[in-house]
Amino acid sequence: MSCYNASRWLGESIESVLNQSYDDFEFIIVDDGSKDDTPAIIERYATTDDRIVAISKANTGLADSLNVGISQARGEWIARQDADDISAPARLEKQVQLVMANRNIVFVGTGLIEIDEFGREYSTYRYPTAHSRLLKNLHTAQKFPPHSSAFYRRDVAQSISGYRTRFRRSQDRDLWLRLSALGELACLDEPLVRVRTHPGQISNDESGRRQRVDATMAMTSYCLCNTGASDPVDSDDEIFQAFYSWLERELSTEGGGGFQDEKERLKRLFKWRRNGAPANWIALSVVAHPKFLIRLVCERLWGSSVAVRLARKWVKLQIK
């Protein structure tokens, strides 16, 4: 668990891990330079439960903080949870049972229950359980188990250098794509984590644009590697910055950016509807944009091909 100014829900999140039915684990909590009461809360729990390993460091972001935690881990498997989310009591037990039954697995996710900042439940999400469908969903921008449900092989993650710190967002999607080349992905059908949505989430900054660009970068990087092309994410700073800026421009000029903005607007309307707003606002939003609706349906059925197109385009640019 990596924490940054996470005091509001941190106690509830920590307790959900400590109260697991499977209790043979170390609980590494990395404080990423918090300025609130987060360090004191971690210390309070650490004094009462010796399974907690508390690490305090300067603020360097989520990916680096998770790599620090992984480097200190002694277990064969890493379980992830964000500091505002909650694990069901049997989560770890059921994930351990699955990987013990199939040693080819390198990643296991679970379904989720979405909750708001007050803990009210909204929606339940379940995901495919087969490796092939999970991998397809990963590289076509379809639904995939949340980061807070992740359970993955430590040695395999370390063999590919863990999370890549050039990803400020979607570093999990990037890691899962790279892990998929080394073993099987799996998912439990049960919703074993409660994932909190709230205005302060980093995925909501810039209206989610940074999240979308980084997710596209992860998928494009995967496509480039699959064709044997050089991966600009692992190149020097000049090439990487050129690649990232190019991705931003491409997503805005090809219509992808506008489409994604509309999807975000629709998601916000759905959340507004759940709080009692009239449903006809959602209907009006969709009917007024028939092209948007067609593309939305196509992506729901077959996923996005944006990353494949961008990878081909980038390779052609390098040849020139």
Side-chain angles (χ1 to χ4, degrees):
M1 180 182 290
S2 172
C3 310
Y4 178 71
N5 293 344
S7 60
R8 182 175 179 184
W9 298 291
L10 182 56
E12 184 180 8
S13 185
I14 288 175
E15 289 177 13
S16 77
V17 176
L18 297 179
N19 293 329
Q20 291 291 301
S21 57
Y22 181 92
D23 60 5
D24 184 16
F25 59 84
E26 59 179 355
F27 185 7
I28 299 173
I29 308 178
V30 181
D31 174 46
D32 188 28
S34 296
K35 297 178 175 60
D36 64 357
D37 293 334
T38 294
I41 295 171
I42 296 171
E43 182 60 28
R44 186 169 72 244
Y45 281 98
T47 59
T48 61
D49 196 313
D50 60 11
R51 290 175 297 178
I52 293 178
V53 178
I55 299 173
S56 182
K57 54 180 278 298
N59 180 249
T60 56
L62 178 60
D64 182 61
S65 296
L66 294 178
N67 285 338
V68 168
I70 291 172
S71 71
Q72 297 298 311
R74 295 174 296 160
E76 183 180 353
W77 293 86
I78 300 289
R80 265 284 291 131
Q81 184 174 302
D82 286 329
D84 49 4
D85 296 339
I86 301 166
S87 286
R91 175 199 161 181
L92 293 183
E93 180 180 0
K94 292 185 177 183
Q95 288 180 308
V96 168
Q97 288 173 347
L98 181 61
V99 300
M100 291 300 103
N102 182 353
R103 300 298 292 186
N104 294 322
I105 291 174
V106 295
F107 168 93
V108 180
T110 79
L112 70 89
I113 296 173
E114 186 182 28
I115 61 175
D116 69 4
E117 57 186 315
F118 305 108
R120 295 177 300 198
E121 296 183 3
Y122 280 145
S123 304
T124 298
Y125 295 91
R126 287 179 166 84
Y127 303 93
T129 57
H131 168 82
S132 58
R133 183 57 193 273
L134 285 167
L135 180 57
K136 177 182 180 294
N137 281 14
L138 261 184
H139 66 76
T140 58
Q142 293 178 287
K143 295 293 186 181
F144 194 82
H147 201 178
S148 273
S149 76
F151 189 84
Y152 55 95
R153 281 271 301 271
R154 176 179 58 84
D155 60 340
V156 179
Q158 287 180 313
S159 74
I160 53 175
S161 301
Y163 296 89
R164 292 197 283 187
T165 56
R166 280 177 164 166
F167 287 86
R168 305 299 292 179
R169 312 285 183 270
S170 294
Q171 52 274 103
D172 52 335
R173 181 178 292 269
D174 173 64
L175 180 57
W176 313 150
L177 283 165
R178 290 183 292 123
L179 280 179
S180 70
L182 302 172
E184 294 180 16
L185 309 174
C187 183
L188 291 164
D189 187 51
E190 298 176 73
L192 295 175
V193 293
R194 298 171 75 199
V195 174
R196 198 181 306 270
T197 59
H198 55 89
Q201 289 174 299
I202 60 172
S203 58
N204 288 332
D205 62 354
E206 302 177 39
S207 300
R209 288 175 187 248
R210 178 68 191 250
Q211 180 88 9
R212 295 196 294 272
V213 175
D214 280 27
T216 303
M217 180 166 68
M219 294 182 291
T220 305
S221 168
Y222 172 80
C223 292
L224 287 168
C225 291
N226 270 359
T227 61
S230 175
D231 185 355
V233 179
D234 286 333
S235 298
D236 61 41
D237 286 342
E238 183 178 357
I239 293 175
F240 170 70
Q241 291 300 334
F243 177 64
Y244 195 88
S245 298
W246 175 80
L247 273 179
E248 288 183 306
R249 291 193 302 272
E250 287 295 314
L251 286 176
S252 61
T253 57
E254 74 149 15
F259 172 72
Q260 296 296 337
D261 287 343
E262 283 297 299
K263 282 210 310 188
E264 288 299 317
R265 188 166 73 93
L266 190 61
K267 281 170 62 177
R268 288 195 295 272
L269 280 170
F270 268 108
K271 289 181 180 180
W272 189 30
R273 172 68 185 93
R274 291 183 309 203
N275 288 326
N280 61 333
W281 283 103
I282 299 171
L284 283 173
S285 173
V286 172
V287 172
H289 302 83
K291 289 183 179 179
F292 165 77
L293 177 58
I294 292 171
R295 182 169 175 181
L296 181 65
V297 170
C298 289
E299 285 206 358
R300 296 286 284 186
L301 292 174
W302 299 292
S304 171
S305 60
V306 169
V308 173
R309 295 200 303 271
L310 289 174
R312 290 172 181 165
K313 198 168 185 179
W314 176 259
V315 169
K316 289 180 181 178
L317 285 174
Q318 305 318 297
I319 294 174
K320 293 179 181 179

